[in-house]
C-alpha cells in the first residue's frame, strides 16, 4: 500500500454505476444520500468522544478515516521566554504613549513563546475494505442515523441485498463495523489498516495491528519524543474464512462479518500495543447485538434528551444534499434546520465525553498530518464556541472535558503568568494544544492574555445551568479564581488612571492610528474589559455563595469600579472595539470581539443596558454591511447576536446564510476549510432563538422567525437549573413546561403577542405576579416540580379550574 493510495481521497475507480432510487431511511433524524462520499468532506462522522471515524460508504473500496483524539504531534515542554518580563514595562510605556510599532518590534522579539507555535493533531490512519469490483448496484443509500449514532450503507448487487452498520461505541471503546447480506456466503473482503507515515501494519490470525511513533525529534535528540500509538482490528466472520496475508486480512465466503477496532496512544501512559491487544481480547467476546444495544442505550441517553420540531418542509423526503441545495437556492426548510441543530448535538456528544479531551478545531475528525491551524485549540473564540450548545441543549456532561482541560492548563499557565508578566494566577494566550501550551504563538496577535479568563467563564456557566453547588466548590471555583488572580495582577493604570489590560489585542483585528499607520497591538481592548467583567462578577457571585474569600471579593469589586468603561463612539454611535475611537481598515472583520458583552457574555442586554445594546447593534450592522460573517464561525456568532437582540428575522437570515455559504454536503461547517465551531455556534444560535436565560429571566421564543410559525421543543435547559419545553402556533406561545431543580423565584418572559394566562402545577393553578412589563411574570418554583404556563385563548385553563392570582391584571 503506497502513501499515494492512502492519500487518494478521490479514488472512485472500480466503483459501480448506481441505479434505482432508494427511499428515505426509517429514521427521520438522519442525514442521508444516494451516493457514496466522493471526498472526505462528504463522508459521515462517527465518534465516541475519543475515537472517531469518517465513513465514505463506497461500495467496493470502503474507507474509514480514523482519529484518536490524543494523537498529537509535539511534546510537553516549557515554552516561556525567560526575558519577557524585563521587556514588559517598556512595551507598556510605548503602547501608552502611542508608539505601537516600536512596542510591536520589542514584543515580537521578546514576548513570544519559544517555540511560538504548536504542532498538529494528526490522523490515526485508514481502514480499507476492498471488495470485488461490481458493474452496477441498485438502490444505494448511506445514512447517519442521529438518534442511534449509527452510519448505515445499503445496496443491492445482483440478487443480494448488502448492508453495513458502523458506529463508535463509548461503553465498549471501539469502532464496530458490521457487514451483512441476505444471501449466505457472499461476503468477500480484503481488510487493510494504513497510515501515511510513522507506522507499520502486521497481520496475524484474525487481526491487523498498526503501530508506530510520531517522529518528533528536537535538534540533537537521539530519539523521537513523539507519541507511540496502535490500532488493532479484529475480524469476526460468521461462516467463511479469514486468512492473514502479509499486511492484509482476507475474508472469504462469510455470511456476515463484524470488525472491531481498538486504538490507544501513550498519552495517558499506557503501552498502546499491549492495551489494544488486551482490549481486542475483551471485545471479541462481545456478540454484535450486545455491542449495538449497549451503544444505542448510551447514545440515546444523551441524544434523546432534547427534541425540536420547527414545522414541516415540502422537501422532507429528499436526501440531505438535495435539501441543502434547495436552501442554497433560496428555499426554506425548517426540518433541515432542526436536523442541523440535532447534528450539532450529535457532534458534541460524539467528540467530547467526560474523562477525555475537549473537541478541537475539527472536533475529532481530521484526515491530515498537518491540519489547517493544526486542528488545535484556539481560545480567542473557536474552542469556546464549541461549547456554546453544551448546557442549553442538555449535554452538560459533554462540557466537562473543556473544564478539565482548562484546569490541566493551570500549571503551565501559572509559569507563563510568572515568567512573562510577573503575575499570580494562570494565563492562556490565543491557542493551545494537548501539551499544555500557554505562551504567545503565531505572531503579534498571539499576545492576547485572555484565553484562561474566557475559558473560566465556562466553569460558572456550568454552575448557572446545573445549579450544582458541590461541583462549583470542588472544581469550578479554583479555576475561576486562578484566572481572576492573573488579571488582578496584570491590570495597570492607563495614562487616564483607568485600569486596563496591557499589552493586548482585540482578536485578530487591526486599527488605524492618528498618523495613518495600522496596528493591532493595544491595551484595554473592549473584549478584555468584557471578559474580565464577566469573570470577576462570576467570582464575586461564587465566593458569596460559597461564603469564602471576602478579601479577594473586595479586590475584585474594587478593580471593577476602577476598570475602563465600555464606550460608545461619539462619531458613529457604535460600541468602540478599542480604548480609543480608531478607524477600522477592515470593517467587515470576521471577529466581532467587542460584542462579547452581548454574547456569549451578558453585560449588555436589551432591557438592562439599552444604550449599549443599541451601540452593539450598530456595530453588528456595520460589520454585516461590510461583509462580516464570511467564515462559518463568524456567521454562527452573528446568529447568536441577533437572537440576543431579539431580532428573529435577522437571526434566521444569518442562519440561512450559514447553511447557504458555509455548510458542506455532510453538514460540516466550512470556514472554509472544515472547522467545527460553526456547527456548534449554529446549534447554539438556534437554541438562543428559542430560549434565553442570561438576563435573570427565562425568555421563551425571544427571536422566533416567521419561517417557523408552529413548532415545539422539549428538554432544553435554562440557567437556574430549569428544564424547559414549549409549544407555539401561528407565531404565538401556546404553553411551556418548566421543571424546576431549585426552590426559587422564576421570572418568565413570553414573546410579543403572547401573555401568560395561567401557571399550573399538576393541573392546579399557582399564584403568579405580573410585572409592569406585561410580557413578564414571576412565580415560586420548588425543586422537583413541573410548572406549566399557558397562553390564552387556546391554551387557557378550562373555566372550572381556578385562575392564577395576579397582582396586576390577569
Ligand atoms: C482564528 C480565526 C480564523 C480561524 C482560526 C482557527 O485565527 O481568526 O478565522 O478560525 O482561528
Amino acid at each position: 500500500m503506497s502513501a499515494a493510495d492512502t492519500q487518494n481521497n478521490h479514488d472512485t475507480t472500480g466503483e459501480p454505476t448506481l441505479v434505482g432510487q432508494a427511499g428515505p431511511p426509517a429514521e427521520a433524524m438522519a442525514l442521508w444520500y444516494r451516493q457514496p462520499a466522493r471526498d472526505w468532506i462528504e463522508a459521515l462522522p462517527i465518534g465516541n468522544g475519543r475515537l472517531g471515524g469518517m465513513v465514505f460508504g463506497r461500495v467496493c473500496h470502503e474507507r474509514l478515516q480514523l482519529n484518536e483524539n490524543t494523537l498529537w504531534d509535539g511534546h510537553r515542554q516549557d515554552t516561556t521566554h525567560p526575558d519577557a518580563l524585563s521587556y514588559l514595562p517598556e512595551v507598556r510605556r510605548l503602547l501608552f504613549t502611542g508608539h505601537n510599532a516600536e512596542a510591536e518590534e520589542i514584543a515580537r522579539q521578546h514576548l513570544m513563546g519559544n517555540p511560538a507555535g504548536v504542532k498538529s493533531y494528526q490522523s490515526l490512519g485508514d481502514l480499507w475494505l476492498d471488495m470485488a469490483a461490481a458493474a452496477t448496484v441498485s438502490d444505494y443509500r448511506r445514512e447517519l442515523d442521529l438518534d442511534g449514532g449509527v452510519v448505515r450503507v445499503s445496496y443491492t448487487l445482483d440478487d443480494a441485498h448488502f448492508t453495513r452498520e458502523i458506529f463508535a461505541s463509548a461503553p465498549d471503546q471501539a469502532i464496530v463495523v458490521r457487514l451483512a447480506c441476505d444471501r449466505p456466503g457472499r461476503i468477500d473482503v480484503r481488510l487493510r489498516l494504513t497510515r501515511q507515515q510513522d507506522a507499520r501494519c502486521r497481520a496475524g490470525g484474525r487481526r491487523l495491528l498498526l503501530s508506530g511513533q510520531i517522529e518528533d525529534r528536537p535538534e540533537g535528540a537521539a530519539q523521537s519524543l513523539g507519541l507511540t500509538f496502535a490500532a488493532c482490528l479484529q475480524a469476526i466472520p460468521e461462516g467463511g474464512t479469514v486468512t492473514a496475508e502479509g499486511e492484509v486480512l482476507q475474508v472469504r465466503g462469510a455470511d456476515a462479518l463484524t470488525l472491531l477496532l481498538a486504538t490507544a496512544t501513550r498519552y495517558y501512559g499506557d503501552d498502546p500495543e499491549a492495551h489494544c491487544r488486551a482490549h481486542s481480547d475483551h471485545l471479541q467476546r462481545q456478540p454484535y447485538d450486545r455491542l449495538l444495544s449497549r451503544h444505542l442505550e448510551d447514545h440515546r441517553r444523551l441524544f434523546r434528551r432534547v427534541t425540536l420540531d420547527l414545522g414541516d418542509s415540502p422537501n422532507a423526503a429528499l436526501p440531505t444534499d438535495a435539501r441543502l441545495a434547495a436552501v442554497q437556492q433560496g428555499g426554506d426548510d425548517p426540518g433541515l434546520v432542526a436536523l442541523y441543530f440535532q447534528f450539532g448535538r450529535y457532534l458534541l456528544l460524539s467528540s467530547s465525553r467526560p474523562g477525555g479531551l475537549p473537541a478541537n478545531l475539527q472536533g475529532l475528525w481530521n484526515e491530515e498530518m498537518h491540519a489547517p491551524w493544526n486542528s488545535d485549540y484556539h481560545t480567542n473564540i473557536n474552542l469556546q464556541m464549541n461549547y456554546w450548545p453544551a448546557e442549553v441543549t442538555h449535554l452538560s456532561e459533554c462540557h466537562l472535558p473543556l473544564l478539565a482541560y482548562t484546569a490541566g492548563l493551570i500549571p503551565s499557565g501559572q509559569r507563563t503568568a510568572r515568567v512573562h508578566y510577573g503575575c499570580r494566577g494562570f494565563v492562556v494566550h490565543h491557542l493551545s494544544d494537548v501539551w499544555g501550551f500557554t505562551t504567545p504563538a503565531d505572531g503579534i496577535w498571539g499576545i492576547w492574555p485572555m484565553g484562561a479568563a474566557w475559558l473560566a467563564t465556562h466553569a460558572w456557566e456550568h454552575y448557572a445551568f446545573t445549579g450544582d453547588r458541590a461541583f462549583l466548590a470542588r472544581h469550578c471555583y479554583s479555576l475561576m479564581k486562578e484566572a481572576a488572580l492573573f488579571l488582578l495582577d496584570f491590570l495597570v493604570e492607563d495614562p487616564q488612571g483607568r485600569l486596563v489590560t496591557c499589552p493586548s489585542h482585540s482578536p485578530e483585528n487591526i486599527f488605524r492610528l492618528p498618523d495613518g499607520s495600522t496596528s493591532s497591538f493595544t491595551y484595554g481592548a473592549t473584549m478584555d474589559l468584557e471578559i474580565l467583567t464577566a469573570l470577576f462578577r462570576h467570582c464575586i457571585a461564587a465566593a458569596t455563595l460559597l461564603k469564602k474569600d471576602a478579601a479577594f471579593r473586595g479586590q475584585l469589586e474594587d478593580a471593577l469600579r476602577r476598570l475602563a468603561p465600555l464606550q460608545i463612539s461619539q462619531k458613529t454611535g457604535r460600541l468602540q472595539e478599542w480604548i480609543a475611537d480608531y478607524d477600522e481598515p477592515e470593517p467587515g472583520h470576521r471577529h466581532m470581539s467587542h460584542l462579547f458583552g452581548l454574547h456569549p457574555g451578558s453585560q449588555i442586554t436589551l432591557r438592562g443596558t439599552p444604550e449599549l445594546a443599541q451601540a452593539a447593534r450598530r456595530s453588528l450592522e456595520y460589520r454585516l454591511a461590510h461583509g462580516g460573517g464570511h467564515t462559518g464561525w463568524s456567521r454562527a456568532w452573528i446568529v447568536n447576536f441577533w437572537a440576543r437582540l431579539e431580532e428573529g428575522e435577522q437571526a434566521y437570515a444569518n442562519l440561512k446564510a450559514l447553511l447557504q455559504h458555509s455548510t458542506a454536503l455532510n453538514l460540516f461547517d466550512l470556514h472554509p476549510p472544515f472547522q467545527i465551531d460553526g456547527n456548534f455556534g449554529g446549534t447554539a444560535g438556534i437554541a438562543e432563538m428559542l430560549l434565553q436565560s442570561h438576563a435573570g429571566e427565562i425568555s421563551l421564543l425571544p427571536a422566533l422567525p416567521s419561517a417557523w410559525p408552529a413548532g415545539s421543543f422539549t428538554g432544553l435547559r435554562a440557567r437556574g437549573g430549569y428544564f424547559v419545553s414549549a409549544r407555539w402556533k401561528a407565531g404565538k406561545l401556546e404553553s411551556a413546561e418548566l421543571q424546576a431543580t431549585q426552590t426559587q423565584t422564576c421570572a418568565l418572559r413570553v414573546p410579543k403577542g403572547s401573555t401568560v394566562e395561567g401557571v399550573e402545577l399538576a393541573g392546579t393553578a399557582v399564584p403568579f405576579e405580573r410585572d409592569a412589563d406585561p410580557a413578564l411574570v414571576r412565580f415560586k418554583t420548588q425543586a422537583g416540580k413541573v410548572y406549566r404556563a399557558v397562553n390564552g385563548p387556546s391554551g387557557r385553563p378550562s373555566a372550572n379550574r381556578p385562575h392564577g392570582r395576579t397582582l396586576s391584571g390577569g
Side-chain angles (χ1 to χ4, degrees):
M1 184 70 202
S2 71
D5 277 337
T6 57
Q7 281 170 328
N8 196 351
N9 205 350
H10 307 271
D11 184 10
T12 47
T13 41
E15 286 294 298
T17 304
L18 305 173
V19 298
Q21 292 252 308
E27 261 311 321
M29 262 312 147
L31 281 66
W32 72 280
Y33 307 84
R34 289 196 177 114
Q35 69 288 329
R38 281 160 294 217
D39 208 345
W40 186 89
I41 194 65
E42 292 184 23
L44 293 170
I46 52 167
N48 66 6
R50 179 183 69 87
L51 178 54
M54 290 290 280
V55 184
F56 282 60
R58 292 177 184 161
V59 174
C60 301
H61 298 287
E62 175 63 297
R63 177 183 176 199
L64 260 86
Q65 183 271 318
L66 305 168
N67 286 106
E68 136 83 64
N69 70 352
T70 59
L71 191 58
W72 283 63
D73 195 357
H75 56 274
R76 206 168 279 281
Q77 59 184 323
D78 179 356
T79 59
T80 52
H81 199 304
D83 298 338
L85 183 55
S86 59
Y87 288 91
L88 181 64
E90 179 61 0
V91 166
R92 285 181 161 164
R93 189 189 67 77
L94 289 167
L95 285 172
F96 284 147
T97 52
H99 297 92
N100 297 51
E102 291 94 321
E104 276 185 38
E105 192 52 40
I106 296 178
R108 268 199 203 93
Q109 281 185 45
H110 301 286
L111 301 192
M112 301 303 294
N114 178 29
V118 299
K119 293 198 171 174
S120 190
Y121 172 55
Q122 295 190 343
S123 172
L124 174 63
D126 293 276
L127 167 63
W128 303 87
L129 287 75
D130 301 321
M131 286 151 275
T136 307
V137 300
S138 59
D139 300 335
Y140 175 93
R141 186 178 69 215
R142 79 186 156 105
E143 72 190 77
L144 167 57
D145 162 10
L146 298 181
D147 179 63
V150 179
V151 168
R152 292 190 194 89
V153 178
S154 59
Y155 55 87
T156 301
L157 171 58
D158 301 328
D159 57 343
H161 189 65
F162 289 83
T163 54
R164 280 177 219 159
E165 284 188 320
I166 303 134
F167 57 89
S169 163
D172 286 297
Q173 287 297 311
I175 287 185
V176 181
V177 181
R178 168 85 173 173
L179 275 65
C181 181
D182 62 357
R183 299 286 165 131
R186 293 286 181 94
I187 295 183
D188 295 302
V189 52
R190 200 166 72 111
L191 304 164
R192 294 174 293 138
L193 269 179
T194 64
R195 191 172 198 267
Q196 278 176 41
Q197 60 189 55
D198 307 334
R200 68 191 189 103
C201 185
R202 288 159 283 165
R206 294 169 161 194
R207 282 184 186 172
L208 291 175
L209 184 72
L210 178 91
S211 60
Q213 180 174 22
I214 292 179
E215 180 62 23
D216 175 31
R217 206 181 294 257
E219 242 183 74
Q223 282 182 336
S224 170
L225 300 180
L227 265 185
T228 51
F229 57 89
C232 182
L233 182 84
Q234 170 128 310
I236 304 175
E238 283 160 38
T241 58
V242 185
T243 46
E245 297 169 6
E247 294 182 3
V248 306
L249 285 183
Q250 183 70 54
V251 179
R252 292 190 182 87
D255 303 334
L257 174 68
T258 301
L259 304 176
L260 303 167
L261 184 87
T263 74
T265 74
R266 212 184 174 82
Y267 186 73
Y268 297 114
D270 299 334
D271 171 350
E273 265 195 55
H275 181 96
C276 280
R277 283 182 200 280
H279 192 47
S280 282
D281 289 344
H282 162 78
L283 287 171
Q284 71 174 351
R285 294 192 289 270
Q286 316 297 318
Y288 175 75
D289 288 347
R290 174 125 189 277
L291 291 166
L292 177 63
S293 62
R294 276 162 59 87
H295 164 71
L296 289 176
E297 189 185 336
D298 166 77
H299 179 86
R300 288 177 173 158
R301 180 179 57 83
L302 297 169
F303 186 81
R304 288 190 167 172
R305 289 174 179 173
V306 171
T307 64
L308 176 63
D309 176 2
L310 295 175
D312 293 335
S313 146
N315 291 341
L318 292 183
T320 305
D321 45 353
R323 290 179 84 168
L324 186 66
V327 170
Q328 288 171 346
Q329 281 150 26
D332 291 298
D333 188 341
L336 187 68
V337 174
L339 186 69
Y340 186 84
F341 170 85
Q342 291 289 25
F343 183 55
R345 296 185 64 244
Y346 169 86
L347 291 174
L348 189 62
L349 72 88
S350 302
S351 62
S352 185
R353 290 291 191 103
L357 288 165
N360 61 42
L361 215 43
Q362 295 184 194
L364 176 58
W365 301 278
N366 160 44
E367 79 165 327
E368 319 262 346
M369 295 296 153
H370 301 280
W373 290 284
N374 301 308
S375 195
D376 66 17
Y377 294 116
H378 260 63
T379 59
N380 66 10
I381 177 71
N382 320 86
L383 176 58
Q384 290 89 345
M385 184 179 280
N386 284 1
Y387 287 88
W388 289 354
E391 298 293 340
V392 65
T393 77
H394 200 173
L395 293 172
S396 195
E397 59 270 70
C398 297
H399 204 175
L400 300 180
L402 181 73
L403 306 185
Y405 170 77
T406 306
L409 290 175
I410 290 178
S412 154
Q414 284 174 331
R415 184 172 57 219
T416 301
R418 206 171 50 239
V419 175
H420 281 237
Y421 303 109
C423 296
R424 296 171 297 167
F426 88 119
V427 62
V428 176
H429 290 83
H430 92 297
L431 59 80
S432 189
D433 60 8
V434 295
W435 307 114
F437 187 88
T438 55
T439 45
D442 285 358
I444 191 76
W445 66 95
I447 303 178
W448 178 76
M450 301 304 293
W454 189 346
L455 288 166
T457 65
H458 280 249
W460 174 258
E461 289 291 342
H462 179 74
Y463 166 74
F465 277 91
T466 59
D468 188 343
R469 198 180 288 205
F471 191 84
L472 175 73
R474 228 176 308 122
H475 300 288
C476 300
Y477 184 68
S478 57
L479 185 69
M480 292 156 53
K481 184 174 174 185
E482 279 300 303
L485 279 177
F486 168 74
L487 287 170
L488 272 181
D489 287 1
F490 182 69
L491 285 170
V492 285
E493 278 189 7
D494 77 351
Q496 297 181 40
R498 307 169 292 193
L499 282 187
V500 293
T501 50
C502 184
S504 192
H505 277 86
S506 185
E508 300 172 12
N509 206 357
I510 54 172
F511 50 84
R512 208 184 306 282
L513 285 155
D515 67 3
S517 64
T518 59
S519 179
S520 63
F521 208 28
T522 188
Y523 62 92
T526 299
M527 176 183 240
D528 293 1
L529 306 172
E530 292 171 324
I531 292 176
L532 187 151
T533 300
L535 175 66
F536 282 16
R537 286 180 180 173
H538 297 160
C539 284
I540 292 166
T544 309
L545 256 167
L546 302 174
K547 299 191 177 54
K548 62 200 288 185
D549 286 343
F552 170 59
R553 217 160 70 201
Q555 288 162 13
L556 296 171
E557 281 160 357
D558 181 54
L560 283 176
R561 268 192 297 275
R562 295 167 54 208
L563 195 67
L566 304 189
Q567 302 178 76
I568 298 173
S569 163
Q570 302 285 326
K571 278 189 312 211
T572 64
R574 300 198 295 266
L575 187 67
Q576 267 179 221
E577 181 161 355
W578 294 277
I579 194 92
D581 197 3
Y582 299 125
D583 279 344
E584 301 170 55
E586 206 189 315
H589 199 274
R590 63 196 177 284
H591 287 263
M592 292 153 286
S593 306
H594 50 318
L595 304 189
F596 174 95
L598 178 64
H599 183 278
S602 55
Q603 189 178 350
I604 302 175
T605 60
L606 264 185
R607 294 173 191 85
T609 60
E611 292 87 14
L612 286 174
Q614 179 61 15
R617 183 191 175 108
R618 290 219 171 97
S619 294
L620 179 58
E621 284 169 345
Y622 187 71
R623 276 289 206 275
L624 273 164
H626 292 85
H630 53 276
T631 70
W633 63 258
S634 176
R635 183 69 70 183
W637 201 357
I638 291 170
V639 176
N640 287 275
F641 289 137
W642 280 125
R644 286 272 170 104
L645 292 169
E646 300 185 1
E647 293 287 358
E649 300 311 321
Q650 304 276 18
Y652 179 70
N654 283 280
L655 185 57
K656 210 165 150 180
L658 182 64
L659 289 169
Q660 288 174 324
H661 307 298
S662 307
T663 301
L665 295 183
N666 66 356
L667 301 191
F668 267 178
D669 169 64
L670 298 172
H671 183 286
F674 165 49
Q675 208 168 284
I676 206 159
D677 38 23
N679 283 105
F680 293 133
T683 297
I686 295 165
E688 204 69 32
M689 291 166 77
L690 301 171
L691 175 65
Q692 294 177 14
S693 60
H694 62 287
E697 327 167 330
I698 295 180
S699 181
L700 296 168
L701 312 178
L704 189 70
S706 55
W708 308 336
S712 65
F713 64 79
T714 61
L716 292 180
R717 296 212 72 180
R719 291 171 188 81
Y722 293 98
F723 297 91
V724 185
S725 302
R727 157 174 305 288
W728 67 95
K729 213 171 167 176
K732 292 201 191 336
L733 182 77
E734 279 199 315
S735 64
E737 265 185 22
L738 280 90
Q739 186 184 338
T741 59
Q742 292 168 41
T743 298
Q744 60 195 356
T745 298
C746 173
L748 181 70
R749 177 176 294 281
V750 292
K752 276 187 218 102
S754 307
T755 45
V756 171
E757 295 293 342
V759 179
E760 299 170 356
L761 172 62
T764 305
V766 171
F768 65 93
E769 285 180 24
R770 216 179 271 288
D771 191 86
D773 177 346
L776 190 63
V777 298
R778 288 189 186 80
F779 54 96
K780 293 245 170 7
T781 59
Q782 275 177 40
K785 300 274 160 57
V786 181
Y787 297 83
R788 185 157 181 268
V790 288
N791 181 29
S794 57
R796 191 185 288 269
S798 62
N800 58 3
R801 252 188 252 151
H803 271 234
R805 177 178 62 87
T806 63
L807 293 191
S808 52

